Amino acid sequence: MNKIGIMGGSFDPIHIGHMNIAEEAAARLGLDEVLFIPANKSYNKDPNENMSSDKRLYLTELAVEDDPLFKASDIEIKRGGTTYTVDTLEELKGLYGDDTELVFLLGADSMLAVDKWREPEKLFKLCRFAVVSRPGCSDGELEKEIKRIEKKYNSEIYRMNTPGLDVSSTDIRNRIAGGEGFRYMLPAKVWKAITDNDLYGFKPEFYPEAAIYVKRLEKELKPSRFRHTLGVAAEARKLARTYSEDPYKAYIAGLLHDCAKNFDREKTYALCEKYGVELDEVLKAQPDLIHSFLGAEAAKEEYGITDEEILRAIKYHTTGHGEGMSPLEMIIYLADIIEPNRAYFKGLDKIRKLAYYDLKSAMEEALEQTISFNSEKGRLIHPLSSQAYSYFKENNRRKRIE
């Protein structure tokens, strides 16, 4: 006989405690599969407390997709209305047949209340229950209740003596809303989905690294530069989400893009020598351009950034570099120009619109405007900027022809 484990609940959100229980049950009880079934609307919970059912299902699917033993089910969400376990078990019994044993997994706190659920007599005929003890639940009290229930319903309940992890969805939601750490309380893909999509009130400044960087930058940058920095980080994150790039990388690159901007001339040259930043003729003639090249090294050496994509985005945020420029590099270049605190200039509105429509068209327009403005001021144009403009202009021309 096949054994299918059933884990039901709000999964608001699903966390490592849920995964741990399922893993323990599969190993101890010889389960062939564990179904994670998010409730559509739990009868005993405040409906306003839950994330929408489709998002909870999505997070649950992310949590289990890399484990062939686990599967997310939308059976209760598709059925709609208030969720009752007895209805779900009846439907599953019809799907799997009598040659499959359904094993319903639940915590000790739920076990203590199970005979208050709808149609408990039918529940115990449709499945076997497996209970896992949780912190705060007396083993003596639990065992006494299990024996009472077994006798009352003429059923044997599986015991799992390994305590579940002391993690709760409520605590996770509270930690997210309060800006506290929660990353390792969730499967990695669930954490990424929550932080990428601002679920449960998450804000990008809640990234642990970001909070540290923001405090340091606030001390080191002038107030106007600091406001600009926060604007670039927020704009970069919005652009990244528009183009399905990594919002976390975009936010961090945006935060650190000007980390070397407020160094005085003496410190700038000293750090260039220390970190091996080579100064070409344009950089020597126009030291204001140095900060992006030096910033990449400062981000690496002083902020601990090791991601090469982030470092390159910082390095080329003032010049660009043409062919091979990654989406993240374009995003940081454009976010630096279009963020809301940027002083208005002719053509800014066009660049802002293009940035959310076509990155390469926006790059061509931004580079053209930048080169034209600096030429009028009598400034040297860095060769990388000229190369970038030529590349994007030609690339966009070809695209229009095609």
Side-chain angles (χ1 to χ4, degrees):
M1 178 174 282
N2 293 326
K3 281 187 179 182
I4 304 296
I6 310 297
M7 282 204 72
S10 296
F11 297 124
D12 191 25
I14 190 168
H15 54 68
I16 60 170
H18 298 126
M19 311 299 287
N20 180 62
I21 290 173
E23 182 182 45
E24 288 285 339
R28 290 171 180 265
L29 306 178
L31 302 179
D32 298 292
E33 185 176 68
V34 179
L35 295 180
F36 290 76
I37 308 178
N40 182 61
K41 177 184 175 184
S42 297
Y43 77 94
N44 61 347
K45 290 197 175 184
D46 179 358
N48 297 317
E49 179 182 319
N50 291 344
M51 181 69 65
S52 65
S53 58
D54 60 329
K55 288 180 180 175
R56 289 185 287 110
L57 175 63
Y58 170 63
L59 295 178
T60 304
E61 289 171 339
L62 288 177
V64 305
E65 68 180 2
D66 293 329
D67 194 320
L69 190 62
F70 297 162
K71 181 181 178 182
S73 170
D74 64 355
I75 185 172
E76 293 185 348
I77 292 172
K78 283 174 66 176
R79 188 166 67 239
T82 301
T83 294
Y84 293 102
T85 301
V86 66
D87 298 332
T88 300
L89 290 174
E90 280 191 312
E91 191 169 347
L92 290 174
K93 201 67 175 176
L95 289 172
Y96 285 98
D98 292 333
D99 60 345
T100 296
E101 180 182 18
L102 302 179
V103 181
F104 198 93
L105 312 176
L106 75 172
D109 50 349
S110 297
M111 188 75 247
L112 296 175
V114 74
D115 63 349
K116 297 178 182 177
W117 293 8
R118 172 175 281 195
E119 300 185 71
E121 296 86 356
K122 186 180 288 187
L123 283 175
F124 284 92
K125 291 177 181 177
L126 290 168
C127 74
R128 291 275 293 276
F129 283 93
V131 60
V132 57
S133 59
R134 284 186 173 180
C137 181
S138 166
D139 287 340
E141 179 187 7
L142 176 62
E143 185 59 29
K144 181 179 178 180
E145 184 65 8
I146 288 176
K147 288 181 178 179
R148 182 190 71 79
I149 291 173
E150 286 179 325
K151 182 177 180 181
K152 181 177 180 179
Y153 298 106
N154 191 30
S155 177
E156 182 182 358
I157 295 172
Y158 292 122
R159 277 80 157 173
M160 291 172 53
N161 295 324
T162 302
L165 298 176
D166 190 14
V167 180
S168 78
S169 297
T170 300
D171 183 38
I172 291 170
R173 293 196 303 272
N174 290 339
R175 294 179 72 85
I176 295 172
E180 300 178 67
F182 66 98
R183 180 171 188 167
Y184 297 106
M185 303 170 81
L186 301 165
K189 289 185 177 181
V190 175
W191 176 85
K192 190 173 190 306
I194 288 173
T195 57
D196 281 358
N197 297 287
D198 301 340
L199 303 181
Y200 299 104
F202 178 82
K203 298 179 178 63
E205 58 266 30
F206 291 169
Y207 290 124
E209 301 91 339
I212 296 170
Y213 301 157
V214 167
K215 286 181 181 179
R216 178 171 174 179
L217 291 166
E218 188 172 17
K219 293 178 181 179
E220 296 184 354
L221 299 178
K222 295 176 181 177
S224 59
R225 181 61 52 186
F226 180 65
R227 286 194 300 273
H228 168 71
T229 290
L230 295 182
V232 172
E235 195 74 42
R237 194 163 181 266
K238 285 170 60 180
L239 282 167
R241 290 166 68 173
T242 298
Y243 292 102
S244 299
E245 294 297 317
D246 191 323
Y248 170 76
K249 286 187 179 183
Y251 191 77
I252 296 301
L255 274 184
L256 298 179
H257 82 288
D258 273 353
C259 66
K261 183 72 174 180
N262 279 8
F263 295 160
D264 60 32
R265 198 61 51 82
E266 183 178 354
K267 183 175 181 179
T268 294
Y269 289 135
L271 289 177
C272 283
E273 184 174 353
K274 178 181 178 180
Y275 297 141
V277 177
E278 296 183 9
L279 303 181
D280 56 33
E281 294 305 313
V282 175
L283 296 181
K284 289 176 181 177
Q286 295 175 182
D288 285 347
L289 289 176
I290 295 175
H291 76 277
S292 60
F293 297 89
L294 178 57
E297 297 301 323
K300 180 179 180 179
E301 300 297 334
E302 299 185 20
Y303 288 84
I305 302 298
T306 58
D307 189 293
E308 286 298 324
E309 193 175 9
I310 293 176
L311 294 174
R312 284 176 62 85
I314 295 171
K315 181 175 182 178
Y316 295 113
H317 83 265
T318 58
T319 62
H321 65 86
E323 187 172 7
M325 201 169 175
S326 73
L328 180 61
E329 291 171 54
M330 289 186 270
I331 283 168
I332 300 303
Y333 184 96
L334 292 168
D336 184 38
I337 293 173
I338 69 172
E339 65 93 7
N341 299 304
R342 172 67 73 180
Y344 181 79
F345 61 87
K346 186 178 179 181
L348 177 58
D349 289 340
K350 183 177 182 180
I351 299 171
R352 281 178 170 154
K353 289 179 181 178
L354 283 172
Y356 283 90
Y357 171 72
D358 184 324
L359 281 177
K360 290 183 177 180
S361 294
M363 285 296 300
E364 178 187 351
E365 184 67 24
L367 284 159
E368 181 178 359
Q369 294 277 359
T370 301
I371 291 172
S372 176
F373 175 81
N374 286 309
S375 296
E376 290 175 5
K377 294 289 184 180
R379 297 169 183 164
L380 296 175
I381 305 302
H382 198 282
L384 287 173
S385 295
S386 299
Q387 293 168 16
Y389 177 57
S390 296
Y391 166 74
F392 286 110
K393 185 177 181 180
E394 177 60 21
N395 176 273
N396 293 330
R397 185 190 69 81
R398 289 200 306 269
K399 188 168 63 175
R400 287 191 292 268
I401 292 174
E402 292 169 358

